[in-house]
Amino acid sequence: MPLSEQEQRLLDEMERHLMQNDADVVSATAGRALSYRNVVYGAILVLVGLAAVVAGIAVWTSILPLGIGLGVAGFAAMVGGVVLATTPAKGDDGPGQPRTGRAPSKPAQGASFMDRMSDRWDRRQNGG
């Protein structure tokens, strides 16, 4: 069943709006490379926290305060591991950054790479 003219216009408008907002989201998150080291340490911390929660459940019936303490500590370790794993690297050359002998070039006229690409995309879509 084909779309009516109004539905087609609405779909085209939604698509343009999505393309514009998607470029904004990409440019807002650009430059935030995750550190491989942080991801590995975070995953290990999550596993240790999970083991502590399981141990807390195992001793829950015999020693209640110890079980509660292990459970809370394990949960805190898991939350800390997730935060550590998703924290971007600061001043550390991660695998996502090129290791060249020269300094990175600065964006033209103060705009980021993604902003320039978004502007070029908009000009191309608008026929200008």
Side-chain angles (χ1 to χ4, degrees):
M1 183 170 143
L3 296 175
S4 68
E5 279 187 41
Q6 181 183 4
E7 291 171 334
Q8 186 63 41
R9 268 188 273 123
L10 183 61
L11 183 63
D12 291 339
E13 181 181 335
M14 288 170 46
E15 188 175 309
R16 281 192 303 273
H17 184 70
L18 179 63
M19 290 295 183
Q20 178 185 6
N21 287 344
D22 190 30
D24 292 342
V25 169
V26 170
S27 67
T29 59
R32 297 185 63 190
L34 294 179
S35 168
Y36 179 74
R37 182 181 304 157
N38 285 355
V39 171
V40 170
Y41 288 155
I44 291 170
L45 193 56
V46 166
L47 291 176
V48 167
L50 185 61
V53 168
V54 170
I57 291 171
V59 299
W60 180 274
T61 57
S62 60
I63 308 170
L64 184 64
L66 180 63
I68 292 173
L70 279 173
V72 169
F75 180 76
M78 288 192 298
V79 170
V82 170
V83 169
L84 178 65
T86 58
T87 302
K90 293 181 181 177
D92 185 24
D93 283 341
Q97 298 178 359
R99 294 179 183 233
T100 59
R102 59 189 170 114
S105 61
K106 293 190 177 185
Q109 301 170 350
S112 72
F113 174 77
M114 290 307 297
D115 288 338
R116 291 193 318 258
M117 292 298 111
S118 176
D119 291 341
R120 288 175 67 183
W121 176 260
D122 291 341
R123 284 195 306 266
R124 188 176 300 146
Q125 292 297 318
N126 295 333

